Amino acid sequence: MQCAALSSKVATTLAQKPVVATRSGRKAVAVRAVAAQVTETKLNTKRSEEIFQEAQELLPGGVNSPVRAFKSVGGQPIVFDRVKGAYCWDADNNQYIDYVGSWGPAIVGHANDEVSDALKAQIDKGTSFGAPCELENVLAKMVIERVPSVEMVRFVNSGTEACLSVVRLMRAYTGREKIIKFTGCYHGHADQFLVQAGSGVLTLGLSDSPGVPATTAAATLTAQYNNLESVKAIFEANKGKIAGLILEPVVGNSGFIPPTKEFLEGLRELCTQEGAVLCFDEVMTGFRIAKGCAQEYFGVTPDLTTMGKVIGGGLPVGAYGGKKEIMQMVAPAGPMYQAGTLSGNPLAMVAGIKTLEILGRDGAYEHLDKITKRLINGILDAAKETGHAMCGGSISGMFGFFFCEGPVNCFEDAKASDTAKFGRFHRGMLEQGVYLAPSQFEAGFTSLAHTEEDIDRTIEAARKVLASL
């Protein structure tokens, strides 16, 4: 098994000891963590059940985001009470090792002490200004320094807002209307994206969403992920009409599906040839799979990039950025209008600054890569030992697996997964004290707070559950 250079002993030290200065003068990664206890008996979810029953009378489906309702895995949704480090506790005080991490933002661990202290200090100074503040400059400079494509950035309040804004920008810059996306890729819930989308749309079994005008959907053309010929065919059939192309450089919203480097390089070449804007949606991969995002990892630079999750350190935030000549189209520098009352709010900026600072310390990404490889390889080995078809993989702190032989290179391949078996596996893992994303079509996430012991216990839990299926 290929692993990063950190030894088990060093990785454990990174996760458990206080921050210390290294020889280079930079701070080493450190997070406090307490080993989680794996639940051995059937969960008591009485309080979760009561809260969720009441919620169904107050909120559509009882939730504020569809996947939380456990529709694709069945059973009682877990209602959270608190989180810390690599762990979460539900309303009945059951403790779990968490591999959702608030769907990605908790990369330095939940309620990280340094992030929390920075937020507490900022609260005393104000939570929202609705005016410029220096913190926006600080985080912007950190993003521009790290992300190859970004020369100028605009902060917003969510990944959806970043993606819908970037499509407007692509159209404004090129004077064209049509965009290309990929089947199973999810870029938020704006109308133009709810065409053969992934994530929550897949969870609900809906191919599209009612309420999206046919004229809007008609301007969104879909290709097959990792299939360059399907993209070439669309460009050929729509000469001079494609404003841009947007994709997840590593798919996380149909499960974990990595690209081939040749695919990304081909997209870069095609967009350049056709005068279309290439956008990487790095809301999920940004600052998670590499310090400079997926574009640094694969060595392919888009024209525009959308970001979210990690960049806000657990607070609501999004961003889009890219070449200065394109970004200067955005108001008030240019004619393309986009605004937001809470955009660049000081709390989100502070949390993002501290999170990126921690990720910049020695050993951070090596730790993520090492523990995540151990986790996914251990789960795949357990499946093989217990006679279950399973495939999967990881890049740094992002991973996923499918209950099928594989390989999975696109959403069409992912649909071969045994989703009923995944549902039983998910419930079994909850019983063992492990919280996984409640959908076969979602990636998983590790954090700097996860320890070697957490990984060992998770693999053992998976082996036990798989043997019982």
Side-chain angles (χ1 to χ4, degrees):
M1 182 175 69
Q2 295 293 317
C3 287
L6 286 181
S7 69
S8 173
K9 182 177 180 181
V10 173
T12 302
T13 301
L14 287 176
Q16 294 179 331
K17 289 191 175 180
V19 173
V20 293
T22 63
R23 196 176 305 174
S24 66
R26 298 173 70 190
K27 290 181 179 178
V29 175
V31 245
R32 299 181 183 93
V34 180
Q37 297 297 315
V38 176
T39 306
E40 294 293 341
T41 57
K42 184 173 176 59
L43 289 177
N44 169 26
T45 57
K46 184 175 185 294
R47 184 60 184 143
S48 279
E49 291 168 15
E50 292 171 348
I51 295 171
F52 186 65
Q53 183 175 1
E54 180 184 39
Q56 290 178 81
E57 298 299 320
L58 306 170
L59 311 169
V63 294
N64 281 306
S65 191
V67 75
R68 302 175 190 174
F70 279 35
K71 290 290 187 181
S72 68
V73 294
Q76 167 66 42
I78 299 301
V79 176
F80 277 28
D81 177 66
R82 63 193 187 280
V83 291
K84 182 66 177 175
Y87 315 120
C88 53
W89 288 261
D90 66 19
D92 296 278
N93 207 36
N94 298 303
Q95 181 178 348
Y96 310 87
I97 306 172
D98 181 21
Y99 292 103
V100 178
S102 190
W103 302 96
I107 194 169
V108 298
H110 288 296
N112 175 275
D113 289 344
E114 293 183 70
V115 175
S116 295
D117 288 345
L119 284 170
K120 290 171 186 174
Q122 180 57 47
I123 286 173
D124 289 338
K125 298 172 69 175
T127 61
S128 178
F129 298 152
C133 70
E134 188 177 8
L135 294 169
E136 295 169 289
N137 293 6
V138 174
L139 185 55
K141 285 188 284 188
M142 295 177 82
V143 172
I144 291 167
E145 178 188 359
R146 297 181 189 207
V147 186
S149 68
V150 178
E151 298 172 354
M152 187 173 279
V153 64
R154 166 63 61 89
F155 293 112
V156 291
N157 295 292
S158 69
T160 288
E161 190 179 350
C163 289
L164 69 86
S165 299
V166 91
V167 168
R168 185 183 304 153
L169 179 56
M170 290 192 290
R171 288 170 168 159
Y173 181 72
T174 62
R176 304 170 179 177
E177 290 191 6
K178 294 185 178 181
I179 61 168
I180 299 174
K181 69 176 291 291
F182 292 87
T183 305
C185 281
Y186 178 75
H187 307 289
H189 59 80
D191 284 359
Q192 60 262 40
F193 296 128
L194 294 179
V195 179
Q196 298 188 48
S199 191
V201 179
L202 297 178
T203 298
L204 291 175
L206 303 176
S207 58
D208 299 295
S209 174
V212 176
T215 51
T216 300
T220 302
L221 310 175
T222 56
Q224 186 180 72
Y225 195 81
N226 271 326
N227 183 344
L228 195 60
E229 292 305 313
S230 71
V231 184
K232 290 179 180 178
I234 292 175
F235 271 113
E236 188 62 33
N238 296 271
K239 278 291 183 183
K241 297 179 180 179
I242 306 297
L245 181 154
I246 186 170
L247 80 157
E248 297 178 83
V250 178
V251 179
N253 286 289
S254 294
F256 175 83
I257 307 175
T260 65
K261 187 175 182 181
E262 293 74 20
F263 175 64
L264 295 183
E265 290 173 338
L267 294 179
R268 174 67 280 175
E269 185 178 342
L270 267 176
C271 286
T272 301
Q273 287 176 354
E274 300 290 339
V277 178
L278 176 62
C279 177
F280 281 5
D281 177 355
E282 300 234 36
V283 169
M284 189 172 287
T285 55
F287 311 104
R288 172 162 285 282
I289 70 171
K291 185 177 179 180
C293 309
Q295 55 201 263
E296 178 191 67
Y297 182 88
F298 291 106
V300 178
T301 304
D303 302 304
L304 293 172
T305 300
T306 58
M307 295 160 278
K309 299 186 185 293
V310 168
I311 200 176
L315 273 72
V317 76
Y320 61 102
K323 292 180 177 179
K324 186 169 289 188
E325 66 178 278
I326 302 177
M327 290 300 296
Q328 285 180 328
M329 290 285 295
V330 180
M336 192 220 83
Y337 192 74
Q338 181 269 311
T341 299
L342 294 174
S343 296
N345 77 82
L347 289 183
M349 298 298 99
V350 161
I353 289 165
K354 182 56 67 174
T355 297
L356 292 190
E357 178 190 318
I358 295 170
L359 287 171
R361 296 173 188 167
D362 291 341
Y365 289 98
E366 290 84 355
H367 179 68
L368 289 171
D369 188 58
K370 178 183 174 63
I371 61 168
T372 313
K373 281 181 176 174
R374 279 198 62 236
L375 173 67
I376 189 61
N377 287 337
I379 292 173
L380 293 175
D381 287 344
K384 185 176 181 179
E385 292 167 12
T386 53
H388 295 282
M390 183 185 285
C391 64
S394 68
I395 301 176
S396 188
M398 183 176 176
F399 71 93
F401 54 88
F402 298 93
F403 276 95
C404 64
E405 292 288 352
V408 172
N409 294 312
C410 59
F411 172 58
E412 288 75 11
D413 295 339
K415 288 193 293 186
S417 300
D418 188 337
T419 54
K421 182 179 287 187
F422 176 83
R424 298 194 301 274
F425 177 74
H426 182 269
R427 189 66 199 182
M429 291 298 278
L430 285 177
E431 297 283 349
Q432 294 295 321
V434 177
Y435 189 80
L436 299 171
S439 169
Q440 172 72 98
F441 302 113
E442 292 283 359
F445 306 106
T446 55
S447 75
L448 296 179
H450 284 87
T451 67
E452 297 279 1
E453 186 176 2
D454 294 328
I455 304 304
D456 290 339
R457 292 183 180 215
T458 303
I459 293 169
E460 182 54 38
R463 183 175 288 110
K464 185 180 296 185
V465 174
L466 287 165
S468 71
L469 296 181

